[in-house]
């Protein structure tokens, strides 16, 4: 079988998980390969995501490595058997591979956790707000590229209403409410969109106010996805050199703790079901409404 010239995050993740299992079992690549009648070089390519592995061999390999969690093994099988095709396939060659990887990950996600410091999360953005961001992007210069990027982000939002819809919890820094992308009318529409989205029982939106103390070290935005029966988590962070996907145990534990600290420090979630007179203390809805009033 020919080796893949490019690999997706899903393919790399499968290989990384198999390598992690092998190393935990204290086995070499040669040991693992021999257990399923596969050469050392062949298994190395599997662990790097450069080639596929059959379901039979995958399950046998997990057994060799002493993995007893059927939920986890089934999750690996789903990663392996997935064709990686979906609505995002139409954007291949138009957007970065990292963007397509994100859409594929979101399609199988059951839970999404997000922290943003300067932008409204992409899944919550209005079209005008998104377009204003890409219009200011130095790397996306042609109108055709901007139109594709905007359409792609709008299509990603289908997971909010899909069947079953993903459960989304976002913490947004107050600074993001004040950033002027597209002018006052665009920002007003965007903030009203946040309030509208919060009416969805599967969407939780909290605002982290400027007055919050003790979270200065948590200023880097991140996006966490839980998928495959919660057996696999992925964290996405954006860097100047591109998107970085993290899924090692230490990183996942670190970002889970960070999100727990952020949501504990943030104001109570936006809740439109509470009567105005009952808002007797600061909450996220009140802060968003205040910013709307001052625009």
């Amino acid at each position: 079988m020919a080796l893949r010239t490019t690999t997706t995050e899903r393919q790399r993740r499968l290989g990384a998980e198999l390598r992690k299992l092998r190393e935990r079992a204290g086995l070499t690549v040669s040991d693992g390969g021999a257990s399923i009648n596969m050469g050392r070089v062949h298994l190395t390519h599997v662990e790097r995501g450069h080639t596929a592995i059959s379901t039979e061999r995958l399950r046998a390999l997990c057994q060799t490595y002493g993995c007893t969690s059927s939920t986890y093994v089934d999750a690996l099988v789903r990663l392996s058997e997935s064709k990686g095709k979906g609505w995002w396939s139409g954007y291949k060659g138009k957007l970065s591979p990292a963007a397509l990887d994100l859409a594929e990950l979101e399609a199988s996600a059951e839970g999404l956790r997000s922290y943003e410091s300067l932008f409204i999360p992409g899944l919550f953005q209005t079209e005008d707000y998104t377009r204003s961001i890409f219009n200011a992007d130095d790397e996306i210069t042609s109108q055709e590229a901007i139109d594709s990027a905007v359409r792609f982000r709008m299509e990603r939002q289908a997971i909010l209403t899909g069947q079953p819809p993903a459960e989304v919890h976002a913490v947004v820094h107050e600074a993001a409410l004040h950033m002027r992308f597209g002018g006052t009318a665009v920002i007003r529409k965007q903030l009203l969109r946040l309030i509208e989205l919060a009416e969805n029982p599967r969407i939780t939106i909290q605002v982290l106010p400027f007055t919050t103390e003790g979270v200065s070290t948590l200023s880097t935005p991140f996006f966490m996805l839980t998928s495959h029966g919660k057996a696999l988590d992925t964290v996405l962070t954006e860097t100047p050199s591109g998107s970085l996907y993290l899924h090692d145990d230490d990183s996942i534990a670190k970002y889970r703790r960070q999100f727990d600290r952020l949501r504990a420090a943030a104001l109570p979630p936006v809740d439109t079901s509470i009567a105005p007179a009952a808002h007797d203390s600061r909450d996220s809805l009140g802060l968003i409404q205040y910013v709307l009033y001052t625009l």
Side-chain angles (χ1 to χ4, degrees), residues 149-172:
V150 172
R151 285 196 305 271
F152 180 81
R153 185 161 294 179
M154 294 301 103
E155 287 193 61
R156 280 179 54 208
Q157 296 179 6
I159 66 173
L160 300 178
T161 55
Q163 293 301 324
E167 181 182 347
V168 184
H169 191 157
V171 176
V172 183

Side-chain angles (χ1 to χ4, degrees), residues 120 126 128-129 132 176-193 291-292 295:
I120 302 301
T126 65
D128 290 338
Y129 183 92
S132 68
L177 308 184
H178 295 274
M179 296 296 289
R180 298 300 180 93
F181 293 107
T184 300
V186 171
I187 297 303
R188 286 188 62 85
K189 184 179 178 181
Q190 177 61 74
L191 296 182
L192 290 171
R193 174 65 173 161
V291 176
L292 276 166
L295 284 173

Side-chain angles (χ1 to χ4, degrees), residues 87-106:
W87 65 264
W88 55 89
S89 301
Y91 289 89
K92 189 174 182 179
K94 299 178 182 179
L95 298 179
S96 69
L100 305 185
D101 285 340
L102 175 58
E104 183 179 357
L105 287 172
E106 286 177 335

Side-chain angles (χ1 to χ4, degrees), residues 6-200:
T6 59
T7 58
T8 67
E9 174 58 25
R10 173 181 53 79
Q11 292 162 344
R12 292 189 294 271
R13 178 64 182 276
L14 174 62
E17 293 297 317
L18 291 177
R19 182 173 63 252
K20 180 173 65 176
L21 288 175
R22 176 179 57 76
E23 291 174 346
R24 283 180 178 175
L27 299 176
T28 66
V29 180
S30 296
D31 294 334
S35 72
I36 56 172
N37 195 30
M38 179 183 286
R40 178 185 61 81
V41 173
H42 191 169
L43 183 56
T44 297
H45 288 314
V46 170
E47 290 185 350
R48 292 176 179 174
H50 292 160
T51 192
I53 182 172
S54 69
T55 298
E56 182 181 6
R57 275 180 158 175
L58 174 57
R59 290 189 180 278
L61 202 57
C62 289
Q63 185 175 7
T64 296
Y65 295 157
C67 182
T68 59
S69 171
S70 60
T71 299
Y72 177 68
V73 174
D74 288 345
L76 296 184
V77 169
R78 289 197 293 275
L79 284 182
S80 178
E81 293 182 346
S82 173
K83 301 301 181 184
K85 298 185 182 299
W87 65 264
W88 55 89
S89 301
Y91 289 89
K92 189 174 182 179
K94 299 178 182 179
L95 298 179
S96 69
L100 305 185
D101 285 340
L102 175 58
E104 183 179 357
L105 287 172
E106 286 177 335
S108 61
E110 295 123 24
L112 305 170
R113 303 291 180 265
S114 170
Y115 170 61
E116 283 289 351
S117 56
L118 295 178
F119 299 94
I120 302 301
L123 290 176
F124 299 161
Q125 292 176 9
T126 65
E127 183 172 341
D128 290 338
Y129 183 92
T130 296
R131 187 172 296 278
S132 68
I133 291 174
F134 286 123
N135 280 334
D137 194 315
D138 293 334
E139 296 184 3
I140 304 178
T141 55
S142 73
Q143 192 58 53
E144 181 181 2
I146 291 174
D147 290 343
S148 291
V150 172
R151 285 196 305 271
F152 180 81
R153 185 161 294 179
M154 294 301 103
E155 287 193 61
R156 280 179 54 208
Q157 296 179 6
I159 66 173
L160 300 178
T161 55
Q163 293 301 324
E167 181 182 347
V168 184
H169 191 157
V171 176
V172 183
H173 198 286
E174 183 181 348
L177 308 184
H178 295 274
M179 296 296 289
R180 298 300 180 93
F181 293 107
T184 300
V186 171
I187 297 303
R188 286 188 62 85
K189 184 179 178 181
Q190 177 61 74
L191 296 182
L192 290 171
R193 174 65 173 161
L194 284 182
I195 297 174
E196 175 189 354
L197 285 169
E199 295 178 355
N200 185 326

